[in-house]
Amino acid sequence: MSPVSSNPLFLGLDLSTQQLKAVLLDKDSKIVHEASVHFDRDLAHYGTTNGAISGPDEGEVTSPVRMWLEAIDLLCQRLKDDRIDFGAIAAISGAGQQHGSVYWSNDSASLLSGLDANRTLAEQLSPAAFSYPKAPIWQDSSTTEDCKRLEDEYGGAQALADLSGSRAYERFTGNQISRIRRLHPEIYDATAHISLVSSLIPSVFLGQIAPIEISDASGMNLMNVLTNKWDDRLLDICGGPTLREKLGSEPVLGGISLGNVSEWWVKRWGFSPDCIVAPFTGDNPATVMSLSAPGDALLSLGTSTTFLLSIPPASTPPKRFTTSHLLSHPTNFDGKIAMLCYKNGALAREQIRDRFAEGDWNIFNQLVEKTPPGCNGILGFYFPLPEIIPPNVVGEYFFTTSLIKTTVKPPLVADMPPPSIHPRAILESQFLSIRSRITAILPEHSPPLKRLVISGGSSANPVIRQITADIFGMDVYVSATKEAAGSGGALLAKYAWWKASHPDGTFEDMTGGEAMDVQCVAKPHKEISEIYDGLVSVYDACEEEVVQLWAAKNSQKA
């Protein structure tokens, strides 16, 4: 049976750090089934903690590639046990944890193309298909030396960010490749192909090495983020003259057909031979595809805070900064995604709750609501962990904002502010940091953002929802789905299938410009938003002073 002729299903897989998840959508983009394999629990024999293994070198964090293959085998068995009709799956796509890399051996091509349907993926591909059995993942921080070399040789952090979208980060793939080449040249020389986590899975479905998708390629420090092509100078610095061949073709758009599933999938699991395999993207871009539409922004309020902003094509490209990331858009060649990441998210908020609200969110919320917007002229900064934006700053800082317009520098508060102010102050500080950077990132004359979709644990808090709406001046929405990356992957699968009959259609044409299952939970109060409009420049002045204070403190230590 051809899946197109009946009720097609679309499979989205999300290979995250801790588990492999499957989301199945029907032709109306409704979730009809979910399944997962949890690495620590279901595949405990690999000895991972939260899906990863630390060491042996300092800062080194990897995952066993064979574990991921075994997870695919087990996930398919669970879908079969749940009576999923594999023959109805019209297309497959998905997401992978960003930055992670997989190293294929010279035997990989023949092993992928010659899979025996009577045997599992894991037993046929591991270890022979890989030159390195471990995959360095995004948590790895062992490449500081390689990052420094990349920035030094390219002309500095800003020059690298202007070209690749980001300064050199330890977790970025180009620096991971550089480290393996530097410390393990025998492994690097024995590597025929290098995949991202996101291109590993379609390679297994196709029976041949899949190309890397443009949005996930943005997290490698190897691609020109404006042309979406590999940059020869970056390739040479990180991997020498053979890296281009190891990476394969230029990065490809998401939502296209790479071909159909290999015979192994048809014979072993009953997939249709017509089932399309589309490129997989990174987990953050996949989340953008499922939870937002053009003109929307995403704010993830988890352990860390992540802000994602989809930027449509413009005559002037978005600015690039050393404290943020610019990614290519999965389905729009000239579109971009801006990303801001902060370490001090939920942890910092919870510390304030515990110190000043008796560890009770209800008391925390009451204190927020009792404190007027602007905290009676007090602005606070809370960095229990070394922050990313602004870089490396630690500590707490408080300013009297009402005096800034009449003084050269924002005056520090001499005494600790009243305890009741801190719950509102930390929310204002965290969100004003993001708000102050939106205008700088967006191209000139960009239309105003329409709505803000929030996710993560704090998104369920009604008071946080409202203050978010007020500070950003936008309607705030939440999504019903907990599997945003997998759902985004399933939508990309559907898009690849849909384009066969709509070759000129866009992703937004297919979705009607709407995000999946989002509902409005807060609207801004105009008079309060105007107060925050006036505080953005005040926040910038105070943050600049914080950076100078931190630098002075460090110079004294030195």
Side-chain angles (χ1 to χ4, degrees):
M1 178 191 75
S2 169
V4 179
S5 64
S6 181
N7 293 309
L9 298 175
F10 306 97
L11 176 60
L13 298 176
D14 175 23
L15 179 46
S16 66
T17 315
Q18 299 188 47
Q19 57 187 325
L20 174 66
K21 292 162 281 190
V23 175
L24 277 164
L25 300 184
D26 64 16
K27 61 184 176 182
D28 297 319
S29 300
K30 300 296 183 187
I31 296 176
V32 295
H33 193 76
E34 297 179 20
S36 66
V37 173
H38 190 274
F39 302 140
D40 290 4
R41 183 176 61 245
D42 297 325
L43 300 172
H45 49 282
Y46 288 98
T48 58
T49 301
N50 297 321
I53 295 172
S54 296
D57 293 345
E58 185 177 352
E60 186 178 8
V61 184
T62 60
S63 290
V65 179
R66 184 185 175 102
M67 178 180 75
W68 292 341
L69 296 175
E70 191 172 337
I72 297 172
D73 288 321
L74 180 55
L75 186 71
C76 288
Q77 185 60 52
R78 288 182 173 176
L79 291 171
K80 181 180 179 181
D81 293 344
D82 292 339
R83 302 185 181 277
I84 295 300
D85 178 7
F86 290 101
I89 297 173
I92 302 163
S93 184
Q97 51 177 293
Q98 290 190 262
H99 315 301
S101 46
V102 175
Y103 299 80
W104 298 93
S105 71
N106 290 312
D107 296 328
S108 57
S110 59
L111 289 169
L112 278 169
S113 63
L115 289 170
D116 178 354
N118 294 312
R119 301 171 64 205
T120 67
L121 292 174
E123 64 183 308
Q124 294 184 81
L125 295 178
S126 178
F130 304 99
S131 56
Y132 191 46
K134 303 185 289 186
I137 65 169
W138 65 274
Q139 293 169 319
D140 188 286
S141 60
S142 65
T143 64
T144 303
E145 178 181 333
D146 304 274
C147 291
K148 185 177 187 307
R149 176 170 168 259
L150 177 58
E151 289 187 350
D152 287 348
E153 292 196 22
Y154 196 76
Q158 186 60 58
L160 181 60
D162 286 340
L163 180 82
S164 72
S166 302
R167 68 167 175 84
Y169 283 90
E170 279 83 358
R171 67 186 184 276
F172 273 41
T173 323
N175 305 304
Q176 298 290 340
I177 292 170
S178 175
R179 179 178 183 271
I180 286 178
R181 180 180 177 231
R182 173 170 56 85
L183 296 180
H184 307 289
E186 73 289 353
I187 292 174
Y188 188 71
D189 291 343
T191 298
H193 305 284
I194 298 174
S195 290
L196 294 180
V197 176
S198 62
S199 57
L200 164 71
I201 308 180
S203 299
V204 171
F205 275 102
L206 289 166
Q208 62 187 42
I209 302 296
I212 293 172
E213 178 266 355
I214 60 172
S215 193
D216 214 16
S218 313
M220 300 178 74
N221 279 144
L222 294 176
M223 187 188 79
N224 183 321
V225 76
L226 299 185
T227 66
N228 299 322
K229 296 186 182 302
W230 303 124
D231 182 84
D232 284 328
R233 198 167 156 208
L234 297 179
L235 296 180
D236 188 61
I237 295 170
C238 291
T242 62
L243 182 51
R244 178 177 278 276
E245 183 182 357
K246 294 179 195 295
L247 292 174
S249 66
E250 297 288 359
V252 298
L253 269 174
I256 64 170
S257 173
L258 296 175
N260 302 120
V261 295
S262 72
E263 193 176 53
W264 186 87
W265 295 92
V266 178
K267 288 184 175 179
R268 185 171 180 88
W269 297 110
F271 278 83
S272 164
D274 299 322
C275 179
I276 293 168
V277 180
F280 283 43
T281 188
D283 49 6
N284 284 307
T287 298
V288 169
M289 301 311 293
S290 67
L291 295 189
S292 69
D296 293 347
L298 291 178
L299 180 61
S300 174
L301 299 171
T303 304
S304 59
T305 296
T306 303
F307 181 78
L308 294 158
L309 178 60
S310 187
I311 305 173
S315 55
T316 305
K319 290 180 183 175
R320 277 80 77 205
F321 298 92
T322 58
T323 54
S324 61
H325 307 286
L326 189 69
L327 311 177
S328 295
H329 191 279
T331 61
N332 189 323
F333 191 84
D334 295 312
K336 304 298 170 196
I337 298 171
M339 184 165 76
L340 301 171
C341 297
Y342 297 82
K343 276 188 185 176
N344 292 290
L347 174 67
R349 293 190 293 273
E350 287 166 6
Q351 287 188 5
I352 294 300
R353 176 203 63 190
D354 294 344
R355 286 165 59 194
F356 301 107
E358 301 175 28
D360 188 319
W361 281 118
N362 289 324
I363 297 173
F364 180 98
N365 288 348
Q366 291 169 15
L367 292 173
V368 172
E369 292 182 311
K370 286 178 181 176
T371 305
C375 293
N376 294 319
I378 300 293
L379 183 60
F381 291 79
Y382 303 83
F383 304 126
L385 295 173
E387 189 47 89
I388 299 170
I389 307 173
N392 303 316
V393 177
V394 179
E396 293 183 356
Y397 307 82
F398 303 97
F399 297 91
T400 305
T401 61
S402 57
L403 300 178
I404 285 179
K405 295 174 184 175
T406 60
T407 56
V408 177
K409 289 185 176 181
L412 280 162
V413 175
D415 300 316
M416 174 68 83
S420 61
I421 277 180
H422 293 286
R424 189 174 196 101
I426 190 171
L427 297 177
E428 290 186 347
S429 172
Q430 289 185 339
F431 298 152
L432 281 170
S433 177
I434 299 169
R435 167 77 196 278
S436 75
R437 287 169 165 83
I438 294 174
T439 303
I441 291 170
L442 286 172
E444 200 174 354
H445 308 305
S446 294
L449 299 175
K450 292 188 296 189
R451 60 186 179 183
L452 182 65
V453 182
I454 62 174
S455 62
S458 297
S459 66
N461 185 317
V463 172
I464 291 179
R465 290 173 174 179
Q466 187 58 54
I467 197 171
T468 305
D470 291 335
I471 290 176
F472 288 93
M474 298 162 63
D475 290 354
V476 168
Y477 288 72
V478 296
S479 170
T481 178
K482 300 298 182 189
E483 303 299 343
S487 297
L491 284 172
L492 287 167
K494 181 183 176 183
Y495 181 51
W497 170 81
W498 180 84
K499 278 184 74 69
S501 55
H502 302 80
D504 298 322
T506 66
F507 184 85
E508 290 70 34
D509 290 337
M510 181 190 78
T511 62
E514 286 301 315
M516 279 186 70
D517 295 329
V518 294
Q519 65 179 83
C520 185
V521 293
K523 290 181 175 292
H525 297 118
K526 186 172 181 293
E527 67 282 3
I528 297 177
S529 293
E530 288 173 353
I531 294 172
Y532 289 121
D533 290 345
L535 280 175
V536 173
S537 61
V538 172
Y539 173 88
D540 288 340
C542 292
E543 186 189 272
E544 189 175 331
E545 181 69 4
V546 167
V547 172
Q548 292 174 8
L549 288 165
W550 177 249
K553 186 177 181 181
N554 278 349
S555 65
Q556 288 171 0
K557 287 180 183 177

